[in-house]
Amino acid sequence: MKRLALVTLLFLSVLVYAQQVKGKVVDALGNIAFADVVLKDTTGKVIAGTNSNDDGIFSLKSQKGNYEITISFLGYKDWKKQISITNTIDLGTITLLEDSENLEEVVIKSKTRVIQQKVDRLVFDVEKSVVAEGGNGIDILNVAPRVQVQNGTLEILGKGPSRVLINGRLSPLEGEELTAFLQGLNANDIKTIEVITNPPAKYEVSGRGGLINVILKKSKQNSWNNTVRAVYNQNKYNFGSLRNNFSYNKNNLSVVASINATKGHYRHTEDLQIQYPQNFWDIAIESKERTDNFSGRFQLDYQVSDHTSLGIQYLGNARKPGGFTTVTSTIFDENKQLDRFIENKGDNSINRKNNTLNFHAETKLDSLGRSISVDADYFNYNSKNDRDFTTEVFDNIGNSVGISSAALNISDQDIQNYSSKIDVNYPINKVQLSFGGKASFTTTKSNILFFDTLSGNPVLDPTRSNNFEYQEDNLAAYISASTNLNSKLELKLGLRLENTNTKGISEQTNQEIENEFTKLFPTLYVSYRKNDHHAFSFSYGKRIDRPRFSDLNPFRYYINDNSFGEGNPFLQSSFTDSFELSHSYKRNLNTSVFLNVTTDGFGVIFTSDPVAETQIVTRDNYITQYNYGISENYSFKANSWWQSQNSINILGYYSTFQKEIGAKPRNGVQARIASNNTFSLSEKSKFLVNSWYSSAYSGGLFSVGEMYSVSLGYQHDFKNNIKLSVFANDIFNTSALNNLTSVVDGVEQVYGQNESNRNFRISLAYSFGNKKIKVKDRNFGNDEERRRSN
């Protein structure tokens, strides 16, 4: 069956159309978006065509006459009807039936379509997941196929750190800011997760790890809804969250407003062992981290006419992480005898704010799917980080030798971004064509001040202070086209051109560094459906990984006397070529084989000065990486009360170092196995058992220890729209990063981290209003720049 079988009329001919044919397309599970609707005359000539929208609704216009209308969607039988158009015709609700002989999309099904393999992405349906009840975005991503969330890093397995989209638009956040956002996202609002290993040309090419698209639920018009949710999380400490979401949609007006607040603490621990030539350091870090966070969002959309809509959106966030940290270093001499202790205590005061304002306009040119959308955005990010610390030395029996240092390290960063983008969808005959462009202008200013406070009065140390200004301008244009070559073969091509100009100025080093380059980024997708048992797809994409703005700042940010990190203004972007071949068998087994090649790769290097006994975190372009592997995903419904989703991933890592950094590459193979199981105890009660295992492995500069996790959950629906859920995460406390080992300049460092992975969560939610309200959700046009600011 053809998915994009729409032959269109000339745009001017639309002006003479008088009559309308409309209806709604569904299946046994709900609305079908993007179903093909084709109108033919008595000779078989295509007169008009369109696609159903997200609610399954379609509408097209034609002159009076006798026609045949065909509605089709890949994986379903065609629906056909002879009609005579004299006036507007409402065909009502049209239900498509599945066709086992037509499998452009291979669907692993139980009660819902759990996993769908499309030509350029893997789609995971999470609406019925128990994890969604009372959970957040991170909880859902932890059970999505080929996705791993660990120690603040989100990645597609085998590809590395990945970008996140919300409803198809790139999220600007990364690192702990992205994690905080996803933790504040109500999992009940998530409909599907799309894992896009090779993103199409429409999306920004920044980030080597692919894209993870979070699709939020939508609902019907002329209704309103409000949901309030209280969540309590217990680790060694505790924190609570209160979330309220309001949505309203009537006639041509749609409004969304949300407020989220979190307050409390969690325990953060780190351990580091350093083997110097003359002694051994055992460092333990204990922190009581704040979770204080307040965010709000307001969105207004107005349907000006049947073809044009306008909207504005504001998103603001204020966070105060950080907390009191104690760093205890136990030092042994070359004979392994206890030599001394060093205790560093400091209060890390962090205040981060960001504001985003977006204007959006979209016009539908005709009933054939042609449209133009425009976004204009402003983004501001401000971060203030003050660390006040003292360092005290003790002899080997615990007597204080005295305070060796005291300091105040102040770090400020301010980022301004202006951007605009345009996207055009313009199907022609059998080709689905889209094109567009984007312009982005970013300025960032960083200020580092280091004060010596040992005397009791702060004294500025100019050798440890710096001002850094960085400017980046980016212009991009893309074109993408897809078509069905025949009933079994689908082809999609894309090309994106990006021009980048950067300029960095460091006051302390008196450096001014400029860089300019223009690159082409092609994408290719081929999907072949052999029969009802076998479907194949191949994809290729090229991407760029740009450094964060802070990574380019040649500042030194001191944690204590013996530890600091510094940026690198000479850091260059890296490039990745990704290849993937997938096969689906009998709707329940999906296999992918992939290879990713990264050149000019950059990353963190944990170095040490053996003489000064100092730990240094630096960044450099030093590596060429080859990541390869095979991924298997299998879902089944054993019976009416047990549903299971399982995956096996074998990942290989091979790398070479393109410059001398005093280390040798570590190459190896990793195995990661996951199983997520839901048991229906009754119509209103469900029990969840999730587990995963990751073997020890080596890759690049580091090797990593073995990790595994077992989590249990329970959810119950009460009357009056009240839901209770409890979740015990990592009950054996075995999922934390451990034995992260590197050897640079002959000094071995072994690192571990735990951010209260073992915790208990209880959630109570209450909804009122009309749950079927439809809410249009948009993100921003400057998402890439906002992401890199964090």
Side-chain angles (χ1 to χ4, degrees), residues 27-95:
D27 67 356
L29 298 172
N31 303 328
I32 296 180
F34 304 109
D36 295 338
V37 183
V38 178
L39 192 68
K40 297 180 181 180
D41 63 15
T42 55
T43 67
K45 180 182 178 181
V46 175
I47 301 301
T50 187
N51 294 109
S52 59
N53 63 18
D54 290 339
D55 296 318
I57 296 172
F58 68 88
S59 175
L60 53 79
K61 294 180 180 181
S62 175
Q63 297 173 333
K64 294 180 180 180
N66 297 320
Y67 303 93
E68 179 186 78
I69 186 169
T70 302
I71 301 176
S72 59
F73 189 74
L74 296 167
Y76 294 81
K77 296 179 180 179
D78 286 359
W79 183 93
K80 297 182 179 182
K81 186 176 182 178
Q82 301 294 327
I83 59 175
S84 179
I85 299 178
T86 57
N87 296 297
T88 295
I89 297 177
D90 188 351
L91 298 173
T93 300
I94 299 151
T95 302

Side-chain angles (χ1 to χ4, degrees), residues 47-322:
I47 301 301
T50 187
N51 294 109
S52 59
N53 63 18
D54 290 339
D55 296 318
I57 296 172
F58 68 88
S59 175
L60 53 79
K61 294 180 180 181
S62 175
Q63 297 173 333
K64 294 180 180 180
N66 297 320
Y67 303 93
E68 179 186 78
I69 186 169
T70 302
I71 301 176
S72 59
F73 189 74
L74 296 167
Y76 294 81
K77 296 179 180 179
D78 286 359
W79 183 93
K80 297 182 179 182
K81 186 176 182 178
Q82 301 294 327
I83 59 175
S84 179
I85 299 178
T86 57
N87 296 297
T88 295
I89 297 177
D90 188 351
L91 298 173
T93 300
I94 299 151
T95 302
L96 298 187
L97 302 177
E98 288 187 6
D99 183 2
S100 61
E101 298 300 319
N102 197 336
L103 294 176
E104 189 274 347
E105 284 185 8
V106 177
V107 180
I108 302 172
K109 258 194 89 171
S110 56
K111 202 170 183 180
T112 61
R113 297 184 290 269
V114 179
I115 297 177
Q116 301 179 48
Q117 179 67 58
K118 296 188 177 182
V119 66
D120 60 357
R121 66 196 65 194
L122 188 67
V123 182
F124 173 49
D125 190 333
V126 300
E127 284 194 281
K128 302 298 181 181
S129 172
V130 173
V131 178
E133 300 297 339
N136 56 45
I138 291 292
D139 298 321
I140 288 295
L141 288 168
N142 267 318
V143 298
R146 285 194 67 179
V147 177
Q148 175 177 274
V149 185
Q150 199 166 72
N151 299 292
T153 300
L154 173 65
E155 65 178 81
I156 297 175
L157 288 171
K159 294 187 67 67
S162 302
R163 303 285 305 280
V164 167
L165 301 96
I166 305 296
N167 283 351
R169 293 191 179 256
L170 287 166
S171 169
L173 305 176
E174 192 178 44
E176 64 181 51
E177 294 290 335
L178 174 61
T179 301
F181 168 76
L182 293 171
Q183 287 174 338
L185 184 63
N186 188 347
N188 292 89
D189 291 333
I190 300 175
K191 178 179 176 63
T192 57
I193 300 291
E194 296 182 344
V195 182
I196 312 173
T197 53
N198 280 324
K202 177 180 179 178
Y203 301 114
E204 278 88 345
V205 293
S206 183
R208 64 185 175 89
L211 299 176
I212 299 171
N213 190 14
V214 179
I215 304 295
L216 303 180
K217 295 178 183 178
K218 296 184 178 181
S219 46
K220 296 183 179 180
Q221 293 179 340
N222 298 321
S223 300
W224 67 276
N225 176 259
N226 192 88
T227 300
V228 60
R229 179 179 301 276
V231 182
Y232 175 81
N233 186 295
Q234 179 68 52
N235 50 90
K236 178 178 180 179
Y237 307 112
N238 59 78
F239 60 87
S241 300
L242 185 64
R243 307 169 188 159
N244 193 88
N245 299 85
F246 172 80
S247 53
Y248 171 88
N249 191 333
K250 187 174 182 180
N251 299 326
N252 296 328
L253 182 64
S254 175
V255 177
V256 177
S258 66
I259 296 177
N260 302 279
T262 299
K263 189 171 183 61
H265 297 84
Y266 69 94
R267 184 191 187 198
H268 176 91
T269 62
E270 299 173 76
D271 59 87
L272 176 64
Q273 293 81 43
I274 306 173
Q275 183 63 65
Y276 291 112
Q278 301 301 321
N279 54 34
F280 174 76
W281 287 53
D282 188 353
I283 303 171
I285 303 173
E286 174 82 23
S287 300
K288 185 178 182 179
E289 298 284 340
R290 288 185 291 267
T291 61
D292 297 1
N293 182 63
F294 181 81
S295 63
R297 174 183 171 222
F298 177 80
Q299 176 181 317
L300 184 148
D301 289 278
Y302 185 74
Q303 194 73 31
V304 179
S305 67
D306 291 340
H307 302 288
T308 302
S309 63
L310 302 175
I312 59 172
Q313 183 175 187
Y314 168 79
L315 187 148
N317 182 271
R319 298 186 63 228
K320 291 185 178 181

